Amino acid sequence: MSAPARARRPGPTVAFMGEPGAFADEAIDQVWRERPDRIGVATFVDVVDAVARGRATHGVLPIENNRAGLVTEAIDSLMDGRVAIVAQTVVAVRHCLAAPPGA
């Protein structure tokens, strides 16, 4: 006998590439006022698959960044037409280099 399916709470479930705290995770906070359920996946194609197959109601993909330009892998994952872009946001990307004193 299989385990019962986990009950989904009402509201969106958002797929994104990466781990909690990734820039795509930050984008979720900018787009949704409530804290939706989140599914971190390994690739941009996995984000699209999660939405197309109903595991997620929405997905977050980077389309462009100021260092590398277009994110072609993410754009390519949208080309089969299984999902559509419904909103956009801009995430300020800031990095810092941390090291122990004297390094």
Side-chain angles (χ1 to χ4, degrees):
M1 181 181 263
S2 63
R6 190 183 104 195
R8 261 183 50 175
R9 71 177 188 171
T13 298
V14 184
F16 68 100
M17 189 180 105
E19 300 290 330
F23 292 117
D25 190 34
E26 185 176 334
I28 293 169
D29 290 336
Q30 289 181 198
V31 174
W32 284 271
R33 290 183 185 177
E34 74 281 1
R35 299 255 325 144
D37 287 341
R38 297 160 198 241
I39 301 171
V41 298
T43 69
F44 298 133
V45 171
D46 292 341
V47 171
V48 172
D49 284 343
V51 175
R53 294 174 188 229
R55 281 187 56 220
T57 58
H58 298 80
V60 171
L61 293 171
I63 299 300
E64 182 177 14
N65 74 45
N66 62 350
R67 286 191 48 115
L70 295 176
V71 183
T72 56
E73 184 183 349
I75 294 168
D76 289 347
S77 70
L78 294 168
M79 297 308 287
D80 65 12
R82 296 185 296 158
V83 300
I85 297 171
V86 297
Q88 72 176 12
T89 190
V90 175
V91 176
V93 176
R94 294 181 180 89
H95 295 278
C96 67
L97 177 63

